[in-house]
Amino acid sequence: MWRKKKSMRWNTMGILAVGFLGVILSGGILLWLPVCNRGSISFIDALFTSVSSVCVTGLVTITPAAQFTLPGQVILLLLIQIGGLGVIACVTAFFLLLRKRITVRERVVIQETYNMDSLGGMVGMVKRVIQGTLIVEGAGAVLYAFQFIPEYGAARGIWYSVFHAVSAFCNAGIDILGESSLAGYVDNPIINLTTMMLIILSGIGFMVWFDVIGNGRKILKKELPKRWWFTRLRLQSKLAVIMTLILLTAGTVFIFVIEYDNPETLGALSFGEKWMASAFQSVTNRTAGFFTISQAGLHEESKLFNCILMFIGGSPGGTAGGVKTTTVAMLFLSCLTFVRGGNDTECMGKKISVANFRTGFCVVMVAFAAFLAGTMAILIIEPDQVALVDIIYETSSAVGTVGLSAGLTPDLSRLSQVVLMILMYIGRLGPMTLVLLFAGKIHPRDKIRRLPEERIMVG
């Protein structure tokens, strides 16, 4: 029985890994076709763009607006949508459209993908994820249209609105406006607030959505008092909301203070515009990739702080990358427990299991190992003139599937770009795979085996 469950788990990870890889390769070939391009493009550039789209990162070696024709941009949009929702959700939606029955094995794969406790309601949950995605993306497109239609006309304005709504919600950060991303709209409230709303909603996780909506319904039906709306949320939802608020606030204040007089970033903006640009930078640092101020012009301390936010990323169960907010919160609470002399990791009256801690620890360690390995590899490949902080900015962005760049990506050698592609793939797939691997069933032999303990020196 254990072997069967382990085989199913490995099959699930294989489906996810091969599924993403298959979409990436297919996307690279399609984006390489002449019909998708305004001029010549190398296969490595097409493949890099496909990796960045499917891994919802946003790093690019070319300018999508200038390079791709309308068919190419449509393919780009589909790759972003598939990468944001995930291969499993998209395949499930395809089966539902064809009215194909979802088998027990496929339900188990869905369960493992979303780390749910039971098989009940799996397909319904995927339906809600897809419906919620389309509703929020549609709302974002409508808001964008107020700016893009008057500026570009009806047809082009609608297309730009849809494309950037999907790209923002999926945390991809790929735009079809030009080389400067959203820098031309640094003082535009519609573009800034709409983009931030889409990034935050998708980055906080679908499970948090359903938890908050479920509690909201109970309050409307007067099954719960209004004052209990937060206390009755699941622990994951509470941590995701609290950590999101803390990181967004800290990022906004830090950027505002450090970059206030920097003529290359916030210096020329008004007081209110500086706050808005700082908030946008804090939000996009968490895994989106759009920018309204120059990333190359940031002070080094700002770049380093941004790298920390990029590594943390968003919350689990959504489109965000990084090691996730709840993972960092759990590790911090475990450290705090040890300092206070406690045994159990406690949070808001709940105990976090040791298995949960081990999973989170493994996710952070492997992500950090990939980040270090990628940084060292690019340092070895590239000449000494390239600044270390800029390389760290690229690798943090790739591992965290963020997409922000200090302008280094197009200038890197092909080998370094391959390193970034590997990091983006690990960043999109790695933490999820680790959860599936380490949150598995315990071998019966390990339940009865007891080895002698021995202490080692640490610290």
Side-chain angles (χ1 to χ4, degrees), residues 245-263:
L245 291 174
I246 290 174
L247 292 174
L248 292 182
T249 302
T252 300
V253 173
F254 187 91
I255 295 296
F256 180 83
V257 172
I258 300 299
E259 299 293 326
Y260 189 90
D261 292 321
N262 186 350

Side-chain angles (χ1 to χ4, degrees), residues 96 103 163 179 181 217 242 281 297 391:
L96 292 174
T103 66
F163 187 98
E179 295 182 357
S181 186
R217 287 174 177 170
I242 291 173
Q281 181 69 39
I391 293 178

Side-chain angles (χ1 to χ4, degrees), residues 332-371:
F332 174 79
L333 290 170
S334 297
C335 181
L336 192 62
T337 298
F338 176 80
V339 171
R340 291 180 173 177
N343 294 319
D344 297 328
T345 302
E346 298 180 7
C347 181
M348 302 179 192
K350 299 292 180 66
K351 173 186 172 182
I352 299 176
S353 70
V354 175
N356 215 176
F357 170 81
R358 288 174 178 170
T359 302
F361 180 75
C362 289
V363 167
V364 172
M365 288 302 296
V366 171
F368 189 65
F371 159 72

Side-chain angles (χ1 to χ4, degrees), residues 31 108 132 388 404 424 440:
L31 291 175
V108 172
L388 173 60
L404 291 175
M424 287 189 284

Side-chain angles (χ1 to χ4, degrees), residues 120-143:
M122 288 294 101
V123 176
M125 187 269 295
V126 173
K127 285 183 180 179
R128 292 198 301 275
V129 167
I130 295 172
Q131 289 171 353
T133 296
L134 295 178
I135 290 171
V136 176
E137 288 177 348
V142 170
L143 292 174

Side-chain angles (χ1 to χ4, degrees), residues 167-219:
S167 185
F169 182 83
C170 292
N171 283 198
I174 296 176
D175 69 272
I176 50 175
L177 296 172
E179 295 182 357
S180 59
S181 186
L182 300 180
Y185 301 97
V186 64
D187 58 349
N188 188 304
I190 294 177
I191 299 298
N192 278 263
L193 296 178
T194 300
T195 305
M196 286 192 284
M197 176 199 71
L198 291 170
I199 294 171
I200 293 171
L201 284 177
S202 59
I204 206 167
F206 296 115
M207 300 303 109
V208 177
W209 284 21
F210 302 147
D211 196 12
V212 171
I213 292 172
N215 267 23
R217 287 174 177 170
K218 290 180 181 179
I219 291 173

Side-chain angles (χ1 to χ4, degrees), residues 149-406:
I149 289 180
E151 185 175 355
Y152 295 105
R156 194 176 177 189
I158 291 172
W159 170 238
Y160 277 16
S161 299
V162 172
F163 187 98
H164 294 98
V166 173
S167 185
F169 182 83
C170 292
N171 283 198
I174 296 176
D175 69 272
I176 50 175
L177 296 172
E179 295 182 357
S180 59
S181 186
L182 300 180
Y185 301 97
V186 64
D187 58 349
N188 188 304
I190 294 177
I191 299 298
N192 278 263
L193 296 178
T194 300
T195 305
M196 286 192 284
M197 176 199 71
L198 291 170
I199 294 171
I200 293 171
L201 284 177
S202 59
I204 206 167
F206 296 115
M207 300 303 109
V208 177
W209 284 21
F210 302 147
D211 196 12
V212 171
I213 292 172
N215 267 23
R217 287 174 177 170
K218 290 180 181 179
I219 291 173
L220 290 176
K221 294 178 181 178
K222 298 183 178 180
E223 297 176 7
L224 281 178
K226 291 181 179 180
R227 65 179 183 275
W228 288 1
W229 76 270
F230 186 77
T231 57
R232 288 298 183 268
L233 294 176
R234 298 178 63 182
L235 182 58
Q236 174 179 318
S237 302
K238 293 177 183 177
L239 286 177
V241 171
I242 291 173
M243 283 295 292
T244 297
L245 291 174
I246 290 174
L247 292 174
L248 292 182
T249 302
T252 300
V253 173
F254 187 91
I255 295 296
F256 180 83
V257 172
I258 300 299
E259 299 293 326
Y260 189 90
D261 292 321
N262 186 350
E264 297 186 50
T265 54
L266 302 182
L269 302 177
S270 67
F271 185 78
E273 290 169 353
K274 288 178 180 180
W275 275 115
M276 186 165 65
S278 299
F280 189 94
Q281 181 69 39
S282 180
V283 171
T284 196
N285 276 338
R286 302 285 311 294
T287 182
F290 290 116
F291 62 88
T292 56
I293 57 175
S294 170
Q295 301 302 291
L298 291 168
H299 290 310
E300 290 195 352
E301 55 268 36
S302 296
K303 290 180 180 178
L304 187 58
F305 185 79
N306 288 349
C307 289
I308 297 172
L309 293 180
M310 288 191 284
F311 188 79
I312 295 173
S315 301
T319 62
V323 297
K324 306 297 187 296
T325 54
T326 51
T327 303
V328 173
M330 179 179 61
L331 296 182
F332 174 79
L333 290 170
S334 297
C335 181
L336 192 62
T337 298
F338 176 80
V339 171
R340 291 180 173 177
N343 294 319
D344 297 328
T345 302
E346 298 180 7
C347 181
M348 302 179 192
K350 299 292 180 66
K351 173 186 172 182
I352 299 176
S353 70
V354 175
N356 215 176
F357 170 81
R358 288 174 178 170
T359 302
F361 180 75
C362 289
V363 167
V364 172
M365 288 302 296
V366 171
F368 189 65
F371 159 72
L372 285 180
T375 302
M376 289 297 296
I378 294 178
L379 279 171
I380 293 170
I381 296 167
E382 297 300 319
D384 294 337
Q385 295 92 325
V386 181
L388 173 60
V389 68
D390 288 339
I391 293 178
I392 292 176
Y393 209 72
E394 300 292 320
T395 52
S396 299
S397 183
V399 170
T401 66
V402 178
L404 291 175
S405 172

